[in-house]
PDB file of all heavy atoms in Angstrom:
ATOM      1  N   GLY M1079      12.499  -4.814  -8.716  1.00 57.00           N
ATOM      2  CA  GLY M1079      12.654  -5.405  -7.400  1.00 57.00           C
ATOM      3  C   GLY M1079      14.053  -5.951  -7.235  1.00 57.00           C
ATOM      4  O   GLY M1079      14.709  -6.319  -8.194  1.00 57.00           O
ATOM      5  N   ILE M1080      14.518  -5.958  -6.009  1.00 59.00           N
ATOM      6  CA  ILE M1080      15.819  -6.551  -5.725  1.00 59.00           C
ATOM      7  C   ILE M1080      15.575  -7.656  -4.709  1.00 59.00           C
ATOM      8  O   ILE M1080      15.136  -7.395  -3.595  1.00 59.00           O
ATOM      9  CB  ILE M1080      16.802  -5.508  -5.158  1.00 59.00           C
ATOM     10  CG1 ILE M1080      17.036  -4.412  -6.187  1.00 59.00           C
ATOM     11  CG2 ILE M1080      18.118  -6.186  -4.763  1.00 59.00           C
ATOM     12  CD1 ILE M1080      17.910  -3.279  -5.688  1.00 59.00           C
ATOM     13  N   CYS M1081      15.825  -8.867  -5.107  1.00 63.00           N
ATOM     14  CA  CYS M1081      15.575 -10.015  -4.236  1.00 63.00           C
ATOM     15  C   CYS M1081      16.876 -10.737  -3.918  1.00 63.00           C
ATOM     16  O   CYS M1081      16.935 -11.953  -3.895  1.00 63.00           O
ATOM     17  CB  CYS M1081      14.585 -10.976  -4.901  1.00 63.00           C
ATOM     18  SG  CYS M1081      12.968 -10.253  -5.125  1.00 63.00           S
ATOM     19  N   HIS M1082      17.924  -9.961  -3.685  1.00 71.00           N
ATOM     20  CA  HIS M1082      19.229 -10.552  -3.424  1.00 71.00           C
ATOM     21  C   HIS M1082      19.802  -9.978  -2.145  1.00 71.00           C
ATOM     22  O   HIS M1082      19.552  -8.823  -1.805  1.00 71.00           O
ATOM     23  CB  HIS M1082      20.204 -10.264  -4.569  1.00 71.00           C
ATOM     24  CG  HIS M1082      19.670 -10.661  -5.909  1.00 71.00           C
ATOM     25  ND1 HIS M1082      19.511 -11.965  -6.296  1.00 71.00           N
ATOM     26  CD2 HIS M1082      19.227  -9.907  -6.939  1.00 71.00           C
ATOM     27  CE1 HIS M1082      19.010 -12.002  -7.514  1.00 71.00           C
ATOM     28  NE2 HIS M1082      18.816 -10.765  -7.928  1.00 71.00           N
ATOM     29  N   LEU M1083      20.555 -10.777  -1.463  1.00 74.00           N
ATOM     30  CA  LEU M1083      21.265 -10.328  -0.280  1.00 74.00           C
ATOM     31  C   LEU M1083      22.730 -10.672  -0.495  1.00 74.00           C
ATOM     32  O   LEU M1083      23.070 -11.838  -0.707  1.00 74.00           O
ATOM     33  CB  LEU M1083      20.726 -11.025   0.972  1.00 74.00           C
ATOM     34  CG  LEU M1083      21.454 -10.752   2.275  1.00 74.00           C
ATOM     35  CD1 LEU M1083      21.301  -9.278   2.658  1.00 74.00           C
ATOM     36  CD2 LEU M1083      20.913 -11.633   3.387  1.00 74.00           C
ATOM     37  N   TYR M1084      23.563  -9.655  -0.515  1.00 81.00           N
ATOM     38  CA  TYR M1084      25.003  -9.852  -0.673  1.00 81.00           C
ATOM     39  C   TYR M1084      25.659  -9.667   0.687  1.00 81.00           C
ATOM     40  O   TYR M1084      25.370  -8.698   1.393  1.00 81.00           O
ATOM     41  CB  TYR M1084      25.581  -8.855  -1.675  1.00 81.00           C
ATOM     42  CG  TYR M1084      25.040  -9.055  -3.062  1.00 81.00           C
ATOM     43  CD1 TYR M1084      23.958  -8.309  -3.518  1.00 81.00           C
ATOM     44  CD2 TYR M1084      25.590 -10.015  -3.905  1.00 81.00           C
ATOM     45  CE1 TYR M1084      23.446  -8.500  -4.786  1.00 81.00           C
ATOM     46  CE2 TYR M1084      25.080 -10.217  -5.175  1.00 81.00           C
ATOM     47  CZ  TYR M1084      24.006  -9.445  -5.614  1.00 81.00           C
ATOM     48  OH  TYR M1084      23.505  -9.649  -6.868  1.00 81.00           O
ATOM     49  N   VAL M1085      26.532 -10.591   1.047  1.00 86.00           N
ATOM     50  CA  VAL M1085      27.205 -10.533   2.342  1.00 86.00           C
ATOM     51  C   VAL M1085      28.704 -10.383   2.108  1.00 86.00           C
ATOM     52  O   VAL M1085      29.324 -11.256   1.506  1.00 86.00           O
ATOM     53  CB  VAL M1085      26.913 -11.810   3.176  1.00 86.00           C
ATOM     54  CG1 VAL M1085      27.611 -11.726   4.523  1.00 86.00           C
ATOM     55  CG2 VAL M1085      25.413 -11.994   3.352  1.00 86.00           C
ATOM     56  N   ASP M1086      29.230  -9.261   2.581  1.00 90.00           N
ATOM     57  CA  ASP M1086      30.654  -9.005   2.450  1.00 90.00           C
ATOM     58  C   ASP M1086      31.423  -9.941   3.373  1.00 90.00           C
ATOM     59  O   ASP M1086      30.925 -10.353   4.433  1.00 90.00           O
ATOM     60  CB  ASP M1086      30.939  -7.540   2.814  1.00 90.00           C
ATOM     61  CG  ASP M1086      32.365  -7.147   2.518  1.00 90.00           C
ATOM     62  OD1 ASP M1086      32.658  -6.854   1.343  1.00 90.00           O
ATOM     63  OD2 ASP M1086      33.186  -7.149   3.467  1.00 90.00           O
ATOM     64  N   SER M1087      32.631 -10.247   2.978  1.00 91.00           N
ATOM     65  CA  SER M1087      33.450 -11.177   3.773  1.00 91.00           C
ATOM     66  C   SER M1087      33.736 -10.631   5.171  1.00 91.00           C
ATOM     67  O   SER M1087      33.993 -11.404   6.096  1.00 91.00           O
ATOM     68  CB  SER M1087      34.763 -11.485   3.050  1.00 91.00           C
ATOM     69  OG  SER M1087      35.505 -10.291   2.851  1.00 91.00           O
ATOM     70  N   SER M1088      33.659  -9.317   5.356  1.00 94.00           N
ATOM     71  CA  SER M1088      33.919  -8.738   6.681  1.00 94.00           C
ATOM     72  C   SER M1088      32.655  -8.630   7.536  1.00 94.00           C
ATOM     73  O   SER M1088      32.722  -8.175   8.675  1.00 94.00           O
ATOM     74  CB  SER M1088      34.552  -7.349   6.521  1.00 94.00           C
ATOM     75  OG  SER M1088      33.622  -6.471   5.918  1.00 94.00           O
ATOM     76  N   ALA M1089      31.526  -9.050   7.010  1.00 93.00           N
ATOM     77  CA  ALA M1089      30.254  -8.918   7.737  1.00 93.00           C
ATOM     78  C   ALA M1089      30.160  -9.910   8.889  1.00 93.00           C
ATOM     79  O   ALA M1089      30.824 -10.948   8.909  1.00 93.00           O
ATOM     80  CB  ALA M1089      29.092  -9.140   6.780  1.00 93.00           C
ATOM     81  N   ASP M1090      29.295  -9.573   9.830  1.00 94.00           N
ATOM     82  CA  ASP M1090      28.970 -10.481  10.931  1.00 94.00           C
ATOM     83  C   ASP M1090      28.053 -11.562  10.361  1.00 94.00           C
ATOM     84  O   ASP M1090      26.893 -11.298  10.032  1.00 94.00           O
ATOM     85  CB  ASP M1090      28.266  -9.689  12.039  1.00 94.00           C
ATOM     86  CG  ASP M1090      27.831 -10.540  13.219  1.00 94.00           C
ATOM     87  OD1 ASP M1090      27.604 -11.763  13.055  1.00 94.00           O
ATOM     88  OD2 ASP M1090      27.690  -9.966  14.315  1.00 94.00           O
TER      89      ASP M1090
END
Side-chain angles (χ1 to χ4, degrees):
I1080 298 176
C1081 295
H1082 307 289
L1083 175 65
Y1084 296 95
V1085 181
D1086 188 81
S1087 60
S1088 65
D1090 178 334

